[in-house]
Amino acid sequence: MSGSGFHVHGPHDHAVEHAAHGNDGFSNNIAVMTAILATVGAAFGYLGGATQNDAALFKNNAAIDKTQAANSWNYYQAKSAKQNLAELAMTLPGVDPKRYEAEVARYKQEKEDIKKDAEKWEESSKEWNHKSDEAMHQHHQWALATTAEQIAISLAAITLLTRKKWMMGLAYGVAGVGVVLGVMAWLGGH
């Protein structure tokens, strides 16, 4: 609608307006079905968005833990370099090897602790990645369910325009598929 009061309606807008003013049971059923499908589709869309956000959060956590693992491995390498220098110093002529034995032993122990820490961070990163993959799979299931509901709404609009009862059956069938996909997405996440 523009400021001058000029209205532009699509063909389905006129049919919906006409049905609202009449006592047409067929049109009323389609209108109710469309409202229900829109509500179900909105719920599916919300749940799909939530699982996509979870997947992103889990992937972020995986990246943080992977960075922590890389930092730990870098620290491990630094200790290895110091241990190698201490071992080399033990072999130099005129140096008391006993002086460096304790350092070599200390570096070996520190490396073991650092290695365990790095492996813990790597495992945690793998777990977060797995959770992210699962959430993304569930997101795709919600997206399919939402799409089916949107298609059913479109079919309902076509049904209203064509007044073909078989088209209404098709809309109900697609809506049913969407609900089944939504139930599967729900069960997949719980």
Side-chain angles (χ1 to χ4, degrees):
M1 181 166 130
S2 70
S4 64
F6 179 72
H7 297 274
V8 177
H9 293 284
H12 70 284
D13 292 328
H14 178 70
V16 170
E17 258 183 54
H18 181 70
H21 296 296
N23 212 5
D24 181 2
F26 182 78
S27 297
N28 290 342
N29 287 342
I30 297 297
V32 169
M33 178 179 103
T34 302
I36 291 169
L37 292 176
T39 302
V40 170
F44 289 173
Y46 170 79
L47 292 167
T51 56
Q52 186 177 27
N53 289 340
D54 286 346
L57 176 67
F58 297 156
K59 189 61 79 173
N60 187 57
N61 289 345
I64 289 168
D65 287 359
K66 190 68 169 178
T67 299
Q68 188 62 40
N71 289 343
S72 293
W73 284 119
N74 288 337
Y75 190 44
Y76 179 90
Q77 289 299 327
K79 292 293 181 176
S80 289
K82 289 181 178 184
Q83 178 185 338
N84 290 340
L85 288 173
E87 288 171 346
L88 177 65
M90 288 171 52
T91 65
L92 294 175
V95 172
D96 179 16
K98 299 266 185 224
R99 177 177 172 206
Y100 293 100
E101 283 178 3
E103 283 185 42
V104 169
R106 179 174 56 93
Y107 289 134
K108 282 183 182 179
Q109 181 57 49
E110 288 175 352
K111 283 175 32 184
E112 282 304 310
D113 294 341
I114 295 167
K115 179 181 176 186
K116 288 176 188 174
D117 192 51
E119 289 170 345
K120 176 192 75 158
W121 287 114
E122 283 182 344
E123 188 58 35
S124 178
S125 177
K126 286 179 189 174
E127 288 172 16
W128 283 118
N129 272 322
H130 180 70
K131 286 181 180 182
S132 177
D133 291 345
E134 286 178 339
M136 210 53 202
H137 175 72
Q138 188 182 22
H139 164 71
H140 289 136
Q141 290 177 315
W142 285 121
L144 287 173
T146 303
T147 301
E149 295 308 307
Q150 291 170 339
I151 291 169
I153 290 169
S154 297
L155 290 172
I158 294 169
T159 300
L160 190 59
L161 294 172
T162 63
R163 304 194 64 76
K164 304 284 184 189
K165 292 205 184 244
W166 67 267
M167 185 68 83
M168 184 171 68
L170 182 60
Y172 280 133
V174 172
V177 168
V179 169
V180 168
L181 290 169
V183 168
M184 290 171 55
W186 177 264
L187 293 175
H190 290 90

